[in-house]
Structure formats: structure tokens, C-alpha cells
């Protein structure tokens, strides 16, 4: 299968903490730490309870996880009808296949694992051999299994509860039914072992909690909670006889087992049913999870015995509707969800995530009534804009809400909702049904512009919240405003509406400058301030690119098959990335006006944003709580971006998992398309044009200091020669005698040998470089290329030695010096390696200036070389002047 995308690949999913699958807690004796395991769709997370820091993320499952369980060493998960065992929280070590239906219950049982599917088929597996030890079948009509648990001290016994309200005690070794408990007239939802032997707590669907003695089949006590079915039960084991229970309403009840009464309650502990609850062993702590994407740790230190929230990890409890990178470093992502909250997620580490709060009409009353019963809760945020310029001084985020004309401000620095509510008085009168549709914030952070469904466009000061004027008389547009934008210099304001018009206004004077009419109603606009390019999405599923300087449409893109949901420019304005309700994400190349990349996703993208550093694309999707990061492969690998054909069929790209993607991206290409996709790596030609001057690719250190080598050597010369340390032999030689004395005769002989030396011969042989010059006298300019390659591979000190050897005094000759000047002349005429020729010529003249002046033939050759040198520099100066004139004209000309 071909690669789905040539540019993007899944990197990581943010914002997931837990779901409806109950959590599991394991105690690590060596670390003296409790670890909690939660499910997040197709993977599970492991957190430490001390800080709720994430420890590991499992590999992705092919389908969503239905249930999980843990023992001392392994984590067991069930994905549809396949059960897997994970070691170290990541790697699959065992796989158990054999169920026909989806598995919904797991229970580690010593060296065995018990699994139950939706047909009440119970299997007992040997963990190591992965073989079925025992298999039992139940009829869902008479006994539909809902809970499986192992009573403490009951050897080889398993307690099985049913939807019909009865319980059975089985011996799994012999496969015999030992006893049947008649039940309490309601479906059993949860069974938990009590700290006392033979006693279990049974939670019923009618809200009752029964403490039952299994040995005598007697009910010890009963409690009733008024919040619906019991979803979870746990017991404190730190010396307090307290039982905790969770409900579908999100409340938690604490029961005093000695006085047989309710001790306390924690209202609105979660926004949905409390599916996971565990009291930590011998600690006053309790861990809970729910489908509201929250994992919380509670501590029991209240005067009435109740608990308070100690630490938590939360995310969006409803799908996010808008995401945007905040700041220029590309490390913070602002998101607004359907739960009316605004959050910030970090691409670096989860500890940098923060919650800016939930939108409220009255924050003080919201704190009193609680979040769940909050009557002052505002509708979800539909659009927002942010700037970092003045975020430390005042509110820097502007947000509009679904169905409201009132616009709220938020403060990123203080992580809270702002103090201003921006609402024009006109919307309390004739325009009472108007709704704020779009917002933007100026690059200076001082002003915010709001577009309304009534056609009005207002300007507000973010510091004071004062209205600073409106565009148009009386309205900017005759239809709903779909987008507003401000250029980078606060000179131009752009508004677009459903009346097919894009209007350009003076930002300060509010005067209309130009109106551009398009072929269809405008759906959204996005401005790239640095390049002055405006992307306009239309209701006919096309995108137009408008140059706001010339006020003309310069590009038009068509290809989406449904409504375009969002757009984003790359930082260099070369690409435009668009997402549509047809579940495709397309990348358009603006210079060529062609589609260069397209891929499908599982669910349509509702919002997207591209990082200012160009490394990540972030997306949100329909009915999905996650925020997905996609890595830009063009930053770390060669990507051939050939335009895609108009009939190109996109392929499905896998969604990122919660773990960071570290494996290499495998690109598979169909054989028939292999030739078309192969693109050789670009290699720059040695000479682009004969008229141009080409420089070498050598670093400056190889040629820039040739004239200063003597100074460098003198500076680096050591003050004294290095001393050779005396090497002692393994056996020290001694002189025979009564006194211990070392034999130094050999050392004296070596010292005398070192004092004698051979006189150097006065005959100087021709150097290797000189030999090459002599050979070039017969071959002509054909060997000059090899001569230049030799000099390029030589160090600066070697080049200095080669040029010194050309002097007649040290083995060279005048002919060699003439040939070297001809070599430099050839380099200048070919316009290659210009800076090397200048450096070599400067060193040559410095070393042999006196010799050249004393030989007529050398002087004549030097005169010819000087003419070529002057001509080369004049040509280079002309090209520089021409380029500078063109640049100055483009900078000053008014287009």
C-alpha cells in the first residue's frame, strides 16, 4: 500500500487521561510505590500515585480496550475477543485467543487468568503456556455474568455474579459449583472483598450496597444511595472502618461500618459515572477515574472524615472545537472544547499543561454552586484568537460563544477567565438575536475585532474593554460576518461575509478602501501577516488566495468534496493546509498552485493549526476528546513533493497514539508507481553558468589565514621543547656489589648517540607539487584540474610548503613559477574557485616577490596575470552593482 502522506506522520495524541474502563492499581514493593493503570482508547497509561506523573504508555492495540486487570508483574487487556499480557507497561509478552465474542471481564488468579466474554463464556488460561485450563459456559437468559472476583483465603474459589441478581461460588480446579446465593432482587454491578475474611460488599443496580458473609450466607448490613446504580466500591485499609462507593451521577459516598451510617459524601467528584475507585493500601488516599477524562487522587483528612482533592489529571470532557498554537516557540497549544473550558497543552511535557477554567456568566456564583450544577455556565467557545505581545499586562485571549453576542476575554498568564465581557448596547435592543461569529486580536495585543451575524464589526480595547468604533455605516456587511483579520502593522482590516464580499478598511479611520466580490459566499478566512496572503474558504468547497496588497485573487484551489472546516498557512507561506468534512487533509503549494499532499483520517477534522516552528500540525476531530500532533517529515528526511494528479485518491493515515512515535516511517510504494515516485537527490552542478563567478565549498579556515601562517606559528610555538619522560625497564639494571647502585652505562651510550647527527644534504629534491607543475608543462591546461584538487586536499601548512618549494633556492625553478602563474590565470579565466585563486596568488607573491622582480620572464608573466586579475575583479564588481541596484529599486518602488 502506498504511503498515505508524504509530509505528515502521526506523532502523539494529547489530552487523554482515562475513559469508562475501570482503573487498576498495583503496588511495586521494590519501588515502594503504587501505580495506577488507566485506559485511553487503544492504549493504556501507567501513572505513579505520588505525583500522578506518567510512567509509561503501552503500544497501540488494533481496537479499543474493553477491560484491563493487573497482577504483580503483568498488565492484562482485552481488545474485542483478544486478550494480551504486557510486561513493563509496554511490550506484549502473551496473547490469548479463543473467545468468539468481545471480552468484558478479566481476573488474574495466581498463575492463571480468568476471562469472560459477552456470551458469558468463561475461560481460565495458563498465563505462561497460553493454553486453556478450564472452560465454562453460562446461559445469558438465566445467568449473565457481570462480575468475577476471588474471595480472600478461599483456595481455588471464584465468586461469579449475574445480571439476574444471583451469585455462584465455583471451584475452578475441579470445575464444580459449590454454592448459589439467591441474591437481593436486583442486578449485581460490583463485588468487592472487604478487609474482614468471608465478607464481600455487593453493589446493586437499585443503589443498594450489601455486606454479605459468604461462609454463613448472611447479610451483615445494608446501605442505600439515592444516586442510581452502584458503579464502584472500595475499603479503607489504614485503620478506619470506612467503605466508599461511586455512583452514575459522579458522587462518592463514604460509609461508617461501625455506626452503620453515611459518614460523608463527595458531591460532583466526577462529571460522569465513577467507574474506577481504589483506596490505596494502608494509606489515607483514594484514586478514582471516570469517563469525563479525569484521574483524581483524594486524601481523607477532613474533620468529618471526608476527603478532599489532592491532585488530578484532567482533559477535555467533551470534544474540542478549536485549537491554535500560542506563542512563537510552538510549544503551547490553546484549545476550546464543548465543555466550555479553555485549556493549554504542551508539546514538551504534560506537567506544563494547564486549565484556564470554564466559561461562566458569574464566576463567584459558580464557585458556590459547583461546576456540575452551575446555572451560570456559558455555551461552548466557537472561535478564539490570542497574542503573546502584552499577555503579562492584560487579557490576551478573545473568545466568542455559541449563540451569544457577548464576547469574553481570557488571561493566559494567570490561567483564568478575564474581567471583560464585550457586548455592544445595540444587541440589547433591535439586534437582540445577533451572535458573535468570529474574532481576531491585533499583533500589538491592544485591540480586538469582533464580527457578528447581523453584519456589524466592532473594535474593542483589550486593556480597558472600551468600545473603540465600528466599521461601516451602519453595518460593515449586509449578511453574516464569517471572518475578520488585521495586518501586521495595524494599517488594514479585512472583513468577509456571506454576501460574497471581502472588504478592506483603514484600521484607524474605519474608512472603506476596497471591496472584492467573490464567486460564492465566504465560509472562513485566514491571514498570513508576513506575506500578506489571505486564504478565503467558500461555500462551494473551494479556496481562494487573495493578495491584500494588490486586492486580487492570485490562486484558486478546488478539490474538497464537503465543507472546509479550517485552514492554516506554513510559516513561510509556501503551503496552505486545509481540512474538510470529507475527512481529508490537503496541502497546497502556493507558488505552483498545485496539490502536493492529501490523506484521509478516521474522523473529519474540526480544527487544525500549524506550528510556528513548522515541526507539528495539530488537529481535532469529530466526537474525539484528543488533540493530535502530526510530525512534519520534511524537516528530517528528503521528501519529493511532486504535484498530485487531479484524480488522486487519498489513502487512510493512522491516527497518532498517546506514545511518541520513535520508529522509522516505512514508505511503501506500489511497483507500478515506483518509477514515478523515485526522485534522485539534487546535486548542484559544478558551474551553473560560465558568466558567473563560482566559489569553492572549502571552509574559510583552509584559505583565509594563508598570509598569516607565520604569525600563527609564532603564537603557537611552545616556550620550551617537550621533555621525553624516562622509561624505566621492568627489571632495573644494577651494578654487582654490596651497595645498591643502578647501572647507567647504557643510558650514557644512548645519550652520546643522540648527540651525533648526520648533516643534511645541500641537494634539494623536487617536491611532489613541483613535479606536478613540470608534468603540466607538457600536458597543458588539461592537468590543471588535478592540480587544483591536490591543493584543495592540502592543509594550509602544506600549501605554504608547496609554494615555498617553487623557489630556485630550494629545488624549484623559474619555469615552475611561470607555470604556477599560468595555473592561477587558468583558474581566473574559468571563473571557478575564485577565493582560492586569490588566496594562493597572495601567498605566492608574498613569498616570491623579490625573485619575480629579478627575472624578466617572471615579470612579463606577472604582467599578463595582473591584466586577467583586474578584468576578473571588474566583472565581479559589475555584477555586484547590478544586483544592488535591483534590490534598491524593489525596496523603494511603489507597486
Amino acid at each position: 500500500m502506498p504511503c498515505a502522506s508524504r509530509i505528515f506522520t502521526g506523532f502523539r495524541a494529547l489530552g487523554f487521561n482515562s475513559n469508562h474502563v475501570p482503573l487498576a492499581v498495583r503496588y511495586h514493593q521494590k519501588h515502594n510505590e503504587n501505580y495506577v493503570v488507566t485506559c485511553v482508547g487503544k492504549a493504556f497509561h501507567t501513572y505513579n500515585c505520588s505525583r500522578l506523573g506518567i510512567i509509561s504508555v503501552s503500544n497501540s492495540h488494533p481496537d479499543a480496550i474493553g477491560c484491563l486487570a493487573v497482577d504483580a508483574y503483568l498488565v492484562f487487556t482485552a481488545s474485542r475477543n483478544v486478550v494480551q499480557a504486557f510486561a513493563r507497561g509496554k511490550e506484549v509478552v502473551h496473547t490469548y485467543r479463543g473467545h468468539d465474542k468481545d471480552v468484558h471481564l478479566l481476573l488474574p488468579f495466581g498463575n492463571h487468568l480468568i476471562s469472560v466474554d459477552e456470551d458469558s463464556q468463561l475461560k481460565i488460561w495458563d498465563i505462561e503456556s497460553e493454553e486453556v485450563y478450564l472452560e465454562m459456559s453460562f446461559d445469558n437468559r438465566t445467568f449473565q455474568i457481570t462480575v468475577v472476583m476471588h474471595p480472600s483465603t478461599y483456595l481455588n474459589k471464584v465468586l461469579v455474579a449475574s445480571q439476574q441478581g444471583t451469585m455462584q461460588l465455583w471451584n475452578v480446579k475441579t470445575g464444580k459449583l459449590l454454592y448459589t446465593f439467591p441474591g437481593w432482587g436486583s442486578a449485581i454491578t460490583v463485588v468487592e472483598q472487604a478487609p474482614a475474611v468471608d465478607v464481600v460488599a455487593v453493589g446493586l443496580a437499585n443503589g443498594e450496597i450489601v455486606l454479605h458473609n459468604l461462609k454463613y450466607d448472611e447479610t451483615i448490613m445494608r446501605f442505600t444511595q439515592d444516586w442510581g446504580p452502584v458503579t464502584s466500591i472500595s475499603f479503607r485499609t489504614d485503620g478506619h472502618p470506612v467503605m466508599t462507593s461511586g455512583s452514575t451521577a459522579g458522587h462518592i459516598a463514604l460509609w461508617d461500618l461501625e455506626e452503620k451510617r453515611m459518614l460523608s459524601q463527595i458531591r460532583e467528584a466526577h462529571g460522569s459515572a465513577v467507574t474506577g475507585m481504589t483506596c490505596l493500601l494502608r494509606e489515607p488516599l483514594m484514586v478514582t477515574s471516570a469517563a469525563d477524562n479525569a484521574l483524581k487522587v483524594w486524601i481523607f483528612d477532613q474533620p468529618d472524615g471526608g476527603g478532599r482533592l489532592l491532585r488530578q489529571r484532567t482533559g477535555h470532557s467533551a470534544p474540542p472545537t478549536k485549537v491554535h498554537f500560542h506563542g512563537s516557540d510552538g510549544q503551547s497549544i490553546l484549545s476550546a472544547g464543548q465543555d466550555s473550558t479553555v485549556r493549554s497543552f504542551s508539546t514538551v511535557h504534560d506537567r506544563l499543561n494547564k486549565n484556564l477554567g470554564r466559561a461562566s456568566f458569574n464566576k463567584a456564583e459558580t464557585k458556590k454552586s459547583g461546576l456540575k450544577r452551575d446555572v451560570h455556565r456559558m455555551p461552548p467557545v466557537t472561535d478564539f484568537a490570542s497574542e503573546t505581545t502584552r499577555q503579562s499586562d492584560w487579557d490576551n485571549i478573545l473568545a466568542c460563544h455559541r449563540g451569544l453576542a457577548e464576547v469574553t476575554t481570557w488571561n493566559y498568564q494567570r490561567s483564568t477567565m478575564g474581567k471583560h465581557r464585550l457586548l455592544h448596547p445595540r444587541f440589547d435592543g433591535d439586534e437582540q438575536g445577533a451572535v458573535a461569529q468570529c474574532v481576531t486580536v491585533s499583533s500589538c495585543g491592544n485591540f480586538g475585532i469582533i464580527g457578528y451575524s447581523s453584519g456589524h464589526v466592532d473594535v474593542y480595547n483589550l486593556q480597558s474593554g472600551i468600545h473603540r468604533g465600528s466599521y461601516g455605516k451602519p453595518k460593515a456587511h449586509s449578511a453574516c460576518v464569517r471572518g475578520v483579520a488585521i495586518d501586521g502593522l495595524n494599517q488594514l482590516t479585512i472583513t468577509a461575509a456571506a454576501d460574497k464580499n471581502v472588504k478592506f478598511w483603514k484600521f484607524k479611520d474605519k474608512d472603506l478602501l476596497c471591496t472584492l466580490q467573490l464567486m460564492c459566499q465566504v465560509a472562513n478566512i485566514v491571514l498570513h501577516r508576513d506575506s500578506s496572503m489571505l486564504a478565503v474558504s467558500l461555500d462551494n468547497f473551494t479556496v481562494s488566495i487573495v493578495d491584500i496588497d494588490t486586492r486580487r485573487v492570485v490562486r484558486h484551489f478546488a478539490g474538497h468534496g464537503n465543507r472546509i472546516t479550517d485552514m492554516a498557512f506554513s510559516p513561510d507561506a509556501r503551503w496552505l493546509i486545509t481540512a474538510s468534512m470529507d475527512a481529508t487533509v490537503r496541502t497546497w503549494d502556493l507558488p505552483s498552485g498545485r496539490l502536493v499532499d492529501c490523506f484521509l483520517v478516521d474522523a473529519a477534522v474540526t480544527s487544525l493549526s500549524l506550528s510556528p516552528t513548522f515541526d507539528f500540525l495539530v488537529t481535532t476531530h469529530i466526537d474525539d476528546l484528543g488533540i493530535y500532533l502530526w510530525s512534519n517529515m520534511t524537516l528530517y528526511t528528503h521528501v519529493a513533493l511532486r504535484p498530485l494528479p487531479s484524480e488522486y485518491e487519498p489513502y487512510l493515515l493512522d491516527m497518532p497514539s498517546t506514545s511518541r512515535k520513535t520508529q522509522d516511517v516505512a514508505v511503501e510504494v506500489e511497483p507500478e508507481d515506483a518509477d514515478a515516485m523515485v526522485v534522485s537527490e539534487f546535486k548542484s552542478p559544478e558551474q551553473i553558468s560560465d558568466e558567473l563567478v563560482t566559489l569553492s565549498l572549502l571552509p574559510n579556515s583552509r584559505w583565509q589565514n594563508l598570509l598569516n601562517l607565520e604569525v600563527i606559528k609564532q603564537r603557537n610555538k611552545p616556550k620550551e621543547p617537550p621533555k621525553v619522560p624516562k622509561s624505566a625497564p621492568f627489571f632495573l639494571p644494577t651494578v654487582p656489589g654490596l651497595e645498591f647502585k643502578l647501572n647507567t652505562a647504557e643510558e650514557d651510550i644512548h645519550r652520546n648517540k643522540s648527540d651525533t647527527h648526520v648533516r643534511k644534504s645541500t641537494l634539494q629534491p623536487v617536491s611532489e607539487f613541483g613535479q606536478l607543475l613540470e608534468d603540466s608543462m607538457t600536458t597543458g591546461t588539461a592537468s590543471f584540474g588535478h592540480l587544483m584538487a591536490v591543493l584543495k586536499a592540502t592543509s594550509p601548512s602544506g600549501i605554504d610548503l608547496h609554494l615555498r618549494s617553487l623557489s630556485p633556492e630550494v629545488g624549484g625553478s623559474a619555469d615552475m613559477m611561470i607555470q604556477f602563474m599560468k595555473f592561477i590565470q587558468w583558474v581566473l579565466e574559468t571563473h571557478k574557485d575564485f577565493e582560492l585563486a586569490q588566496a594562493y596568488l597572495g601567498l605566492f607573491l608574498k613569498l616570491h616577490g623579490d625573485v619575480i622582480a629579478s627575472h624578466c620572464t617572471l615579470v612579463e608573466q606577472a604582467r599578463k596575470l595582473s591584466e586577467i586579475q583586474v578584468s576578473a575583479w571588474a566583472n565581479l564588481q559589475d555584477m555586484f552593482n547590478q544586483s544592488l541596484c535591483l534590490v534598491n529599486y524593489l525596496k523603494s518602488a511603489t507597486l
Side-chain angles (χ1 to χ4, degrees):
M1 180 179 175
C3 179
S5 174
R6 292 180 288 180
I7 299 178
F8 298 105
T9 182
F11 179 72
R12 190 185 176 196
L14 305 176
F16 286 107
N17 297 295
S18 68
N19 61 4
H20 66 281
V21 178
L23 58 83
V25 176
R26 61 191 301 186
Y27 176 73
H28 198 291
Q29 189 172 4
K30 184 177 180 181
H31 296 169
N32 192 24
E33 177 70 88
N34 289 287
Y35 294 98
V36 56
V37 182
T38 62
C39 175
V40 287
K42 295 184 179 181
F44 63 85
H45 291 180
T46 304
Y47 304 94
N48 55 15
C49 292
S50 59
R51 294 187 178 182
L52 280 188
I54 189 166
I55 301 299
S56 64
V57 178
S58 73
N59 297 330
S60 182
H61 293 62
D63 294 288
I65 298 175
C67 61
L68 59 84
V70 299
D71 65 3
Y73 303 100
L74 301 174
V75 178
F76 302 95
T77 63
S79 177
R80 297 187 69 86
N81 61 343
V82 179
V83 180
Q84 294 178 323
F86 288 79
R88 292 176 291 276
K90 292 183 179 180
E91 306 166 358
V92 178
V93 292
H94 298 292
T95 303
Y96 310 94
R97 303 178 186 272
H99 282 283
D100 297 329
K101 296 291 184 178
D102 295 350
V103 177
H104 69 101
L105 292 175
L106 291 175
L107 176 66
F109 188 66
N111 295 327
H112 297 81
L113 174 68
I114 300 176
S115 61
V116 181
D117 60 20
E118 293 179 349
D119 277 349
S120 296
Q121 188 81 10
L122 187 147
K123 293 179 181 288
I124 302 177
W125 309 81
D126 185 279
I127 293 179
E128 293 298 327
S129 64
E130 302 179 6
E131 296 178 354
V132 177
Y133 173 77
L134 181 65
E135 185 173 349
M136 295 186 294
S137 299
F138 297 85
D139 189 358
N140 279 345
R141 294 172 295 180
T142 59
F143 195 88
Q144 182 178 354
I145 300 177
T146 56
V147 181
V148 178
M149 66 90 59
H150 166 60
S152 297
T153 71
Y154 280 56
L155 187 63
N156 299 325
K157 309 298 188 302
V158 171
L159 189 64
V160 184
S162 68
Q163 180 73 24
Q164 288 74 17
T166 59
M167 290 194 306
Q168 296 178 359
L169 186 64
W170 287 79
N171 188 317
V172 295
K173 185 176 183 180
T174 61
K176 293 183 179 180
L177 176 63
L178 302 180
Y179 190 80
T180 300
F181 300 90
W184 296 268
S186 181
I188 299 175
T189 57
V190 60
V191 179
E192 182 68 20
Q193 174 68 51
V197 180
D198 301 327
V199 179
V200 295
V202 181
L204 306 178
N206 59 6
E208 286 193 46
I209 305 171
V210 179
L211 268 70
H212 195 76
N213 189 299
L214 300 178
K215 186 175 182 179
Y216 300 104
D217 191 12
E218 293 180 355
T219 297
I220 301 174
M221 61 184 74
R222 303 177 73 149
F223 302 99
T224 303
Q225 63 180 22
D226 301 329
W227 308 317
V230 180
T231 57
S232 55
I233 296 176
S234 186
F235 291 89
R236 292 183 61 179
T237 56
D238 57 338
H240 296 269
V242 175
M243 177 183 67
T244 62
S245 63
S247 65
T248 56
H251 308 314
I252 297 176
L254 282 70
W255 308 91
D256 192 325
L257 300 181
E258 287 187 348
E259 299 183 6
K260 300 181 181 180
R261 66 177 182 87
M262 178 180 284
L263 179 65
S264 179
Q265 56 183 340
I266 305 175
R267 289 271 184 170
E268 302 167 4
H270 285 275
S272 60
V274 184
T275 55
M277 175 188 296
T278 301
C279 293
L280 301 186
L281 186 64
R282 293 186 293 274
E283 291 188 42
L285 299 176
M286 177 178 65
V287 185
T288 61
S289 68
D292 62 351
N293 198 20
L295 178 64
K296 300 182 179 182
V297 177
W298 308 82
I299 184 170
F300 301 107
D301 60 354
Q302 299 298 305
D304 61 347
R308 65 175 176 87
L309 185 62
L310 182 61
R311 59 183 68 95
Q312 63 178 340
R313 290 181 68 102
T314 59
H316 282 295
S317 58
T321 57
K322 174 79 174 179
V323 289
H324 181 70
F325 273 97
H326 181 71
S328 59
D329 56 0
Q331 297 181 358
S332 300
I333 302 172
L334 278 176
S335 70
Q338 295 181 11
D339 53 0
S340 300
T341 62
V342 178
R343 296 177 180 271
S344 173
F345 293 92
S346 173
T347 61
V348 179
H349 200 280
D350 290 342
R351 68 171 179 269
L352 301 178
N353 297 350
K354 59 182 181 179
N355 184 8
L356 275 66
R358 193 168 77 178
S360 174
F361 290 107
N362 192 324
K363 292 174 61 177
E365 292 296 328
T366 297
K367 292 181 180 180
K368 294 180 181 179
S369 61
L371 293 178
K372 193 163 186 180
R373 295 178 297 172
D374 183 17
V375 297
H376 304 284
R377 172 180 174 178
M378 297 184 73
V381 174
T382 57
D383 189 23
F384 67 84
S386 67
E387 280 293 338
T388 59
T389 307
R390 305 299 294 269
Q391 67 178 5
S392 59
D393 300 327
W394 51 73
D395 300 341
N396 65 313
I397 302 173
L398 204 58
C400 54
H401 300 259
R402 181 183 302 164
L404 294 181
E406 185 177 7
V407 174
T408 58
T409 60
W410 301 72
N411 193 295
Y412 185 84
Q413 194 91 352
R414 295 188 289 112
S415 302
T416 183
M417 192 174 180
K419 59 182 179 179
H420 299 305
R421 304 290 184 272
L422 308 181
L423 181 65
H424 196 277
R426 80 168 76 92
F427 299 115
D428 292 333
D430 299 336
E431 303 289 346
Q432 196 168 2
V435 176
Q437 295 286 344
C438 49
V439 292
T440 188
V441 178
S442 62
S443 58
C444 62
N446 292 319
F447 301 98
I449 297 183
I450 309 169
Y452 298 92
S453 60
S454 59
H456 293 90
V457 178
D458 293 334
V459 183
Y460 286 87
N461 184 283
L462 293 182
Q463 180 182 9
S464 60
I466 299 175
H467 183 259
R468 293 300 186 187
S470 301
Y471 291 95
K473 296 179 182 180
K475 298 180 180 181
H477 292 271
S478 60
C480 175
V481 179
R482 299 286 181 81
V484 291
I486 310 174
D487 70 341
L489 300 177
N490 288 2
Q491 298 295 318
L492 196 65
T493 300
I494 304 104
T495 62
D499 57 3
K500 304 181 183 180
N501 291 329
V502 176
K503 295 186 177 182
F504 302 87
W505 313 78
K506 284 188 177 181
F507 176 79
K508 184 177 181 181
D509 299 334
K510 313 293 187 302
D511 295 334
L512 180 63
L513 297 176
C514 178
T515 300
L516 177 65
Q517 188 169 11
L518 302 177
M519 67 184 77
C520 189
Q521 294 182 356
V522 177
N524 188 21
I525 65 171
V526 174
L527 176 65
H528 189 271
R529 287 172 174 169
D530 294 339
S531 65
S532 299
M533 290 295 168
L534 180 72
V536 184
S537 63
L538 306 177
D539 282 349
N540 61 355
F541 317 144
T542 62
V543 179
S544 296
I545 305 299
V546 179
D547 187 344
I548 65 173
D549 292 333
T550 61
R551 282 96 173 184
R552 294 180 181 178
V553 176
V554 295
R555 291 289 186 274
H556 188 75
F557 301 125
H560 282 293
N562 208 325
R563 180 176 63 88
I564 297 175
T565 55
D566 206 353
M567 304 176 292
F569 278 101
S570 62
D572 57 358
R574 185 176 182 86
W575 293 348
L576 176 68
I577 303 173
T578 60
S580 171
M581 290 300 292
D582 59 6
T584 62
V585 177
R586 297 174 182 260
T587 303
W588 311 87
D589 186 71
L590 265 64
S592 63
R594 300 294 298 274
L595 177 68
V596 295
D597 189 61
C598 179
F599 62 90
L600 280 170
V601 289
D602 292 331
V605 175
T606 57
S607 179
L608 61 82
S609 180
L610 199 59
S611 169
T613 55
F614 207 21
D615 50 356
F616 291 121
L617 172 72
V618 59
T619 61
T620 59
H621 301 261
I622 291 178
D623 296 333
D624 199 318
L625 301 179
I627 294 174
Y628 295 92
L629 285 177
W630 308 82
S631 177
N632 182 8
M633 292 189 292
T634 61
L635 296 183
Y636 52 84
T637 185
H638 175 70
V639 177
L641 294 180
R642 286 188 174 181
L644 298 178
S646 57
E647 65 277 1
Y648 177 77
E649 291 292 334
Y651 295 91
L652 183 66
L653 185 62
D654 293 335
M655 299 292 289
S657 63
T658 53
S659 61
R660 293 186 178 181
K661 191 169 185 177
T662 56
Q663 64 268 22
D664 294 335
V665 181
V667 179
E668 299 180 5
V669 182
E670 292 182 355
E672 58 269 19
D673 297 336
D675 296 336
M677 295 296 293
V678 171
V679 177
S680 60
E681 185 176 356
F682 174 76
K683 293 183 179 179
S684 177
E686 185 178 358
Q687 184 85 354
I688 298 177
S689 175
D690 295 338
E691 301 175 356
L692 301 179
V693 174
T694 304
L695 304 181
S696 69
L697 299 179
L698 292 182
N700 295 347
S701 59
R702 299 287 295 275
W703 56 269
Q704 203 168 32
N705 298 322
L706 286 177
L707 297 178
N708 303 319
L709 280 180
E710 295 180 358
V711 178
I712 296 174
K713 290 180 179 180
Q714 187 66 27
R715 184 187 61 190
N716 297 337
K717 183 179 180 180
K719 296 181 180 179
E720 58 182 9
K723 297 180 180 179
V724 179
K726 295 181 180 180
S727 56
F730 186 77
F731 296 102
L732 297 176
T734 58
V735 176
L738 296 178
E739 295 182 1
F740 178 77
K741 183 185 279 188
L742 295 176
N743 187 3
T744 59
E746 273 187 49
E747 186 177 350
D748 296 337
I749 293 174
H750 287 299
R751 186 183 297 112
N752 295 332
K753 285 184 178 181
S754 63
D755 291 341
T756 62
H757 57 82
V758 179
R759 256 173 222 252
K760 295 182 179 179
S761 174
T762 57
L763 298 177
Q764 299 291 338
V766 179
S767 65
E768 180 184 357
F769 182 72
Q771 188 63 42
L772 292 175
L773 285 175
E774 287 184 350
D775 295 342
S776 65
M777 295 178 187
T778 57
T779 59
T781 60
S783 60
F784 282 166
H786 176 64
L787 198 62
M788 175 57 75
V790 172
L791 290 178
K792 284 184 178 180
T794 308
S795 65
S797 299
I799 295 173
D800 181 81
L801 180 61
H802 286 332
L803 297 188
R804 288 181 185 273
S805 65
L806 300 180
S807 175
E809 300 176 356
V810 290
S813 64
D815 294 336
M816 287 185 185
M817 298 176 68
I818 292 175
Q819 191 66 14
F820 180 78
M821 286 189 284
K822 290 181 179 180
F823 163 70
I824 296 296
Q825 179 179 340
W826 173 81
V827 175
L828 294 176
E829 290 176 348
T830 56
H831 302 296
K832 297 179 181 178
D833 305 316
F834 187 79
E835 81 279 21
L836 295 185
Q838 302 299 322
Y840 297 159
L841 179 59
L843 180 60
F844 177 77
L845 295 177
K846 178 182 178 182
L847 297 176
H848 306 298
D850 298 338
V851 179
I852 294 174
S854 61
H855 289 72
C856 298
T857 55
L858 293 177
V859 171
E860 182 64 26
Q861 183 62 36
R863 185 178 294 108
K864 295 179 181 179
L865 181 59
S866 176
E867 295 176 358
I868 300 296
Q869 170 81 344
V870 172
S871 176
W873 274 108
N875 183 31
L876 187 63
Q877 187 65 38
D878 291 341
M879 288 189 289
F880 273 130
N881 291 337
Q882 182 179 0
S883 300
L884 290 174
C885 290
L886 181 61
V887 171
N888 290 332
Y889 170 74
L890 293 177
K891 288 172 60 178
S892 60
T894 303
L895 299 179

